[in-house]
Amino acid sequence: MAEFSLSDLEKIVHERAHSGDPDSWTAKLFARGIDKAAQKLGEEAVETVIAAVKGDKQGLVSESADLIYHWLVVLGLSGVPLSDVLKELEGRTGRSGIAEKASRPKG
């Protein structure tokens, strides 16, 4: 059995976003636009943090899945492919996080 990947989920989000299916949460989020999708992303981020702080491992797994899903929806609505984010992360792996952060433009 092949391992499920973020790329697989990105494809599913794209397909469902443009499906026109009235029962699809993804299609509804895309129809409501970036403001609603970003709001949901923020809510899921907070719920993920709460589960982590509580030590609720199953909650952390569940909320993390919701967070990643909504993050991919926001990327899709913004026209940013997952591959761009992965390239950014790959470019950061050759140096320490402290050095990478210090090299960012101030602003």
Side-chain angles (χ1 to χ4, degrees):
M1 179 177 193
E3 188 172 315
F4 187 72
S5 71
L6 288 178
S7 294
D8 294 332
L9 183 55
E10 180 185 43
K11 288 175 192 163
I12 292 167
V13 166
H14 178 77
E15 289 167 6
R16 291 184 182 168
H18 304 289
S19 69
D21 181 352
D23 294 324
S24 168
W25 174 243
T26 306
K28 287 180 183 183
L29 272 178
F30 267 75
R32 293 179 77 181
I34 190 68
D35 290 347
K36 181 62 177 179
Q39 174 191 349
K40 290 299 297 176
L41 177 62
E43 290 170 7
E44 297 303 342
V46 169
E47 291 170 4
T48 301
V49 169
I50 291 168
V53 170
K54 285 182 170 180
D56 177 1
K57 290 184 180 184
Q58 184 52 49
L60 181 56
V61 168
S62 178
E63 296 301 341
S64 293
D66 291 345
L67 177 63
I68 290 169
Y69 161 78
H70 285 92
W71 171 63
L72 288 173
V73 168
V74 167
L75 287 179
L77 279 164
S78 300
V80 176
L82 174 62
S83 60
D84 286 0
V85 176
L86 296 176
K87 285 177 195 168
E88 177 68 20
L89 287 169
E90 182 180 32
R92 294 179 182 188
T93 60
R95 55 189 160 161
S96 79
I98 294 169
E100 187 280 324
K101 189 170 183 175
S103 73
R104 293 182 196 172
K106 306 291 186 250

